[in-house]
Coordinates of all heavy atoms in Angstrom, one line a residue:
N1311 N 217.5 13.2 72.4 CA 218.6 13.4 73.4 C 218.2 12.8 74.7 O 217.2 13.2 75.3 CB 218.9 14.9 73.5 CG 220.2 15.2 74.3 OD1 220.3 14.8 75.5 ND2 221.0 16.0 73.7
E1312 N 219.1 11.9 75.1 CA 218.8 11.1 76.4 C 218.7 12.0 77.6 O 217.9 11.8 78.5 CB 219.8 10.0 76.6 CG 219.4 9.0 77.6 CD 220.5 7.9 77.7 OE1 221.5 8.1 78.2 OE2 220.2 6.8 77.1
D1313 N 219.5 13.1 77.6 CA 219.6 13.9 78.8 C 218.6 15.0 78.8 O 218.0 15.3 79.8 CB 221.0 14.5 78.9 CG 222.1 13.4 79.1 OD1 221.8 12.4 79.8 OD2 223.2 13.6 78.6
T1314 N 218.4 15.7 77.7 CA 217.5 16.9 77.6 C 216.1 16.5 77.1 O 215.2 17.3 77.3 CB 218.1 17.9 76.7 OG1 218.2 17.4 75.4 CG2 219.6 18.3 77.2
G1315 N 215.9 15.4 76.5 CA 214.7 15.1 75.9 C 214.4 15.7 74.5 O 213.3 15.5 73.9
Q1316 N 215.3 16.6 74.1 CA 215.2 17.2 72.8 C 215.1 16.1 71.7 O 215.9 15.2 71.7 CB 216.3 18.2 72.5 CG 216.2 18.9 71.1 CD 217.4 19.7 70.8 OE1 218.5 19.6 71.5 NE2 217.3 20.6 69.8
D1317 N 214.1 16.3 70.8 CA 214.0 15.3 69.7 C 213.9 15.9 68.4 O 213.5 17.1 68.2 CB 212.7 14.4 70.0 CG 211.4 15.2 69.9 OD1 211.5 16.4 70.0 OD2 210.4 14.6 69.8
F1318 N 214.3 15.1 67.4 CA 214.3 15.5 66.0 C 213.4 14.5 65.2 O 213.9 13.3 65.1 CB 215.7 15.6 65.4 CG 216.6 16.5 66.0 CD1 217.3 16.2 67.2 CD2 216.7 17.8 65.6 CE1 218.2 17.1 67.8 CE2 217.6 18.7 66.2 CZ 218.3 18.4 67.3
D1319 N 212.2 14.8 64.8 CA 211.3 13.9 64.2 C 211.4 14.1 62.7 O 211.4 15.2 62.2 CB 209.9 14.2 64.7 CG 209.6 13.9 66.1 OD1 209.9 12.7 66.5 OD2 209.3 14.8 66.9
F1320 N 211.4 12.9 62.0 CA 211.4 12.9 60.5 C 211.0 11.6 60.0 O 210.9 10.6 60.8 CB 212.8 13.3 60.0 CG 213.9 12.5 60.6 CD1 214.3 11.3 59.9 CD2 214.5 12.8 61.8 CE1 215.3 10.5 60.4 CE2 215.5 12.0 62.3 CZ 215.9 10.9 61.6
G1321 N 210.6 11.5 58.8 CA 210.2 10.2 58.2 C 210.8 10.1 56.8 O 211.2 11.0 56.1
R1322 N 211.0 8.8 56.4 CA 211.6 8.5 55.0 C 210.8 7.4 54.4 O 210.4 6.4 55.1 CB 213.0 8.1 55.1 CG 213.9 9.1 55.8 CD 213.9 10.5 55.2 NE 214.5 10.6 53.9 CZ 214.4 11.7 53.2 NH1 213.8 12.8 53.7 NH2 215.0 11.8 52.0
E1323 N 210.5 7.5 53.1 CA 209.9 6.4 52.4 C 210.9 5.8 51.4 O 211.7 6.5 50.8 CB 208.7 6.9 51.6 CG 208.0 5.8 50.8 CD 206.8 6.3 50.0 OE1 206.0 7.2 50.6 OE2 206.6 5.9 48.9
V1324 N 210.9 4.5 51.4 CA 211.8 3.7 50.5 C 210.9 2.8 49.6 O 210.0 2.1 50.1 CB 212.8 2.9 51.3 CG1 213.7 2.1 50.4 CG2 213.6 3.7 52.3
S1325 N 211.2 2.9 48.3 CA 210.4 2.0 47.4 C 211.3 1.6 46.3 O 212.2 2.3 45.8 CB 209.2 2.8 46.9 OG 209.6 3.9 46.1
Y1326 N 211.1 0.3 45.8 CA 211.9 -0.2 44.7 C 211.0 -1.2 43.9 O 210.5 -2.1 44.4 CB 213.1 -0.8 45.2 CG 214.1 -1.3 44.1 CD1 214.7 -0.4 43.3 CD2 214.3 -2.7 43.9 CE1 215.5 -0.8 42.2 CE2 215.2 -3.1 42.9 CZ 215.8 -2.2 42.1 OH 216.6 -2.6 41.1
Y1327 N 210.9 -0.9 42.6 CA 210.1 -1.8 41.7 C 211.0 -2.1 40.4 O 211.7 -1.2 39.9 CB 208.8 -1.1 41.3 CG 207.9 -0.7 42.4 CD1 208.0 0.5 43.1 CD2 207.0 -1.7 42.8 CE1 207.2 0.8 44.2 CE2 206.1 -1.4 43.9 CZ 206.3 -0.1 44.6 OH 205.5 0.1 45.6
R1328 N 210.9 -3.4 40.0 CA 211.7 -3.8 38.8 C 210.9 -4.8 38.1 O 210.3 -5.7 38.6 CB 213.0 -4.3 39.3 CG 214.0 -4.6 38.1 CD 215.3 -5.0 38.6 NE 215.3 -6.4 39.2 CZ 216.3 -6.9 39.8 NH1 217.5 -6.3 39.8 NH2 216.2 -8.1 40.3
D1329 N 210.9 -4.6 36.7 CA 210.3 -5.6 35.8 C 211.1 -5.6 34.5 O 212.2 -5.1 34.5 CB 208.8 -5.3 35.6 CG 208.6 -3.9 35.0 OD1 209.6 -3.3 34.4 OD2 207.5 -3.3 35.1
S1330 N 210.5 -6.3 33.5 CA 211.3 -6.4 32.2 C 211.5 -5.1 31.6 O 212.4 -5.0 30.7 CB 210.5 -7.3 31.3 OG 209.2 -6.8 31.1
D1331 N 210.7 -4.1 31.9 CA 210.9 -2.7 31.3 C 211.9 -1.9 32.0 O 212.3 -0.8 31.5 CB 209.6 -2.0 31.2 CG 208.6 -2.7 30.3 OD1 209.0 -3.3 29.3 OD2 207.4 -2.6 30.6
G1332 N 212.4 -2.3 33.1 CA 213.4 -1.5 33.9 C 213.0 -1.4 35.3 O 212.3 -2.3 35.9
S1333 N 213.6 -0.5 36.0 CA 213.4 -0.3 37.5 C 213.0 1.1 37.8 O 213.2 2.0 37.0 CB 214.7 -0.7 38.2 OG 215.7 0.2 37.9
E1334 N 212.4 1.2 39.0 CA 212.0 2.5 39.4 C 212.2 2.6 40.9 O 211.9 1.7 41.7 CB 210.5 2.7 39.1 CG 209.9 4.1 39.6 CD 208.4 4.2 39.3 OE1 207.9 3.3 38.6 OE2 207.8 5.2 39.8
G1335 N 212.7 3.8 41.4 CA 213.0 4.0 42.8 C 214.3 3.3 43.2 O 215.1 2.9 42.3
K1336 N 214.5 3.3 44.5 CA 215.8 2.6 45.0 C 215.5 2.1 46.4 O 214.7 2.6 47.1 CB 216.9 3.7 45.1 CG 216.6 4.9 45.9 CD 217.7 5.9 45.7 CE 217.5 7.2 46.6 NZ 216.4 8.0 46.2
P1337 N 216.2 1.0 46.8 CA 215.9 0.3 48.0 C 216.7 0.9 49.2 O 216.8 0.3 50.3 CB 216.4 -1.1 47.8 CG 217.5 -1.0 46.8 CD 217.1 0.2 45.9
Y1338 N 217.1 2.1 49.1 CA 217.9 2.8 50.1 C 217.6 4.3 50.1 O 217.1 4.8 49.1 CB 219.4 2.5 50.0 CG 219.9 2.9 48.6 CD1 220.4 4.2 48.4 CD2 220.0 2.0 47.6 CE1 220.8 4.6 47.1 CE2 220.4 2.4 46.3 CZ 220.8 3.7 46.1 OH 221.3 4.1 44.9
D1339 N 217.9 4.9 51.2 CA 217.7 6.4 51.3 C 218.5 6.9 52.5 O 219.1 6.1 53.3 CB 216.2 6.7 51.5 CG 215.9 8.1 51.1 OD1 216.8 8.9 50.7 OD2 214.7 8.5 51.1
S1340 N 218.6 8.2 52.5 CA 219.4 8.9 53.6 C 218.8 10.2 53.9 O 218.1 10.8 53.0 CB 220.9 8.9 53.3 OG 221.1 9.8 52.2

Side-chain angles (χ1 to χ4, degrees):
N1311 189 303
E1312 191 176 78
D1313 297 324
T1314 65
Q1316 180 184 12
D1317 63 344
F1318 300 86
D1319 293 299
F1320 53 94
R1322 305 305 289 176
E1323 180 178 318
V1324 180
S1325 63
Y1326 184 65
Y1327 299 89
R1328 188 174 67 184
D1329 56 23
S1330 58
D1331 295 328
S1333 61
E1334 180 181 354
K1336 56 185 184 292
Y1338 55 88
D1339 203 355
S1340 65

